[in-house]
Amino acid sequence: MPNRRILRLSGSDTDSFLQGLVTNNVDGLRDGLVYAALLTPQGKYLADFFLKRDDDAVLLDVAEDIADGFVKRLSMYKLRADVRIEDSGLNLHRGTGPAPDGALPDPRHPEMGWRAYAPEAEGDDGTDWDAIRVRHCIPEAGIELTPDSYILESGFEALNGVDFKKGCYVGQEVTARMKHKTELRKGLRSVRVDGSAPVGTEITVGGKPAGTLFTQSKGRGIAYLRFDRATGEMQAGDATVTLDA
């Protein structure tokens, strides 16, 4: 299970601070977990995370590998706002079986089960998370999600990770333009994989670049594709790749 860092944001300006930064509507915290991202001003991915109401504060669940840079970016935006960013001392627990008290559904997809936060060490129930992610084309930080990613190409709309009515946030203008004024020509898609190839293997069609193959599980994978070339059989190293119907 990927390591996660659970931060605690507190102070009178916490909600307004987050609302002006992240891709989703913080008002949704009244209903459960909120999945969101922080973008660059150019609309590219910096981090994705989950938010959870914690009394008057907000817990923020982010991948450990990107946590340090993420905290630095939040601190840069904080300026004089009344917001404190601290380590919560909590750990992530998740699963797809019976949910413990205090657990909340993962908002990205029902098959992603539940998430809970506790002082005890991280734990899960042995779920094959890669198989679920691949089946539903759910990207993960550091694999499918990189500093070159745009969230709409990465499926955030289907994953309940962006709100187009909430108002301004960092990178909002580019994201809105991609939604309303352009047709996506590239993006993540689920594919069938005959064989296997390392994560990051280039996908080609007739010798021409068509995309990149990422996470694979049980004969399926997640690929970033050029839609105009992603037809018929494609090659990724020694593996044959086709779009998943």
Side-chain angles (χ1 to χ4, degrees):
M1 187 171 83
N3 290 332
R4 307 288 294 185
R5 187 181 300 181
I6 315 303
L7 303 169
R8 189 173 188 270
L9 279 63
S10 60
S12 61
D13 295 330
T14 296
D15 281 21
S16 59
F17 169 69
L18 289 171
Q19 189 75 309
L21 287 181
V22 308
T23 60
N24 215 338
N25 196 330
V26 174
D27 291 344
L29 287 169
R30 67 169 83 88
D31 300 318
L33 293 179
V34 169
Y35 179 57
L38 179 67
L39 309 179
T40 68
Q42 295 75 35
K44 290 193 173 183
Y45 169 90
L46 282 172
D48 64 315
F49 41 86
F50 298 86
L51 303 171
K52 178 185 182 296
R53 177 66 67 199
D54 183 39
D55 295 326
D56 293 332
V58 175
L59 298 181
L60 192 153
D61 166 2
V62 65
E64 179 63 46
D65 289 349
I66 60 175
D68 286 343
F70 177 67
V71 170
K72 288 180 181 178
R73 183 61 66 110
L74 288 183
S75 299
M76 180 185 76
Y77 283 124
K78 186 167 70 70
L79 300 176
R80 296 184 180 180
D82 180 20
V83 179
R84 293 177 294 281
I85 306 168
E86 305 165 304
D87 194 318
S88 70
L90 300 174
N91 294 287
L92 172 66
H93 293 247
R94 62 177 183 167
T96 53
D101 290 343
L104 292 170
D106 188 317
R108 295 174 295 178
H109 193 280
E111 286 195 26
M112 289 299 288
W114 50 264
R115 302 175 83 90
Y117 304 95
E120 295 77 26
E122 293 188 1
D124 67 30
D125 59 1
T127 294
D128 187 341
W129 297 107
D130 277 351
I132 298 174
R133 289 201 308 106
V134 164
R135 189 158 60 244
H136 301 292
C137 203
I138 299 172
E140 186 166 294
I143 305 177
E144 293 85 16
L145 294 171
T146 74
D148 289 326
S149 298
Y150 290 101
I151 60 167
L152 295 192
E153 292 184 344
S154 301
F156 269 60
E157 187 172 5
L159 300 174
N160 302 307
V162 57
D163 187 316
F164 293 102
K165 298 178 180 179
K166 61 161 284 186
C168 294
Y169 56 87
V170 178
Q172 181 265 344
E173 183 177 352
V174 174
T175 305
R177 188 163 63 245
M178 291 181 73
K179 166 68 173 175
H180 298 294
K181 296 185 178 180
T182 63
E183 181 178 352
L184 295 181
R185 298 179 180 180
K186 302 177 183 178
L188 295 179
R189 291 293 184 268
S190 293
V191 294
R192 295 280 182 175
V193 183
D194 183 4
S196 63
V199 168
T201 297
E202 182 181 56
I203 297 173
T204 60
V205 176
K208 295 181 179 180
T212 307
L213 182 61
F214 294 108
T215 305
Q216 300 150 66
S217 177
K218 300 178 180 178
R220 288 175 166 168
I222 298 175
Y224 180 76
L225 296 171
R226 279 186 52 165
F227 300 146
D228 62 335
R229 293 182 179 173
T231 58
E233 290 190 349
M234 299 171 278
Q235 293 299 127
D238 295 329
T240 300
V241 176
T242 54
L243 281 173
D244 197 356

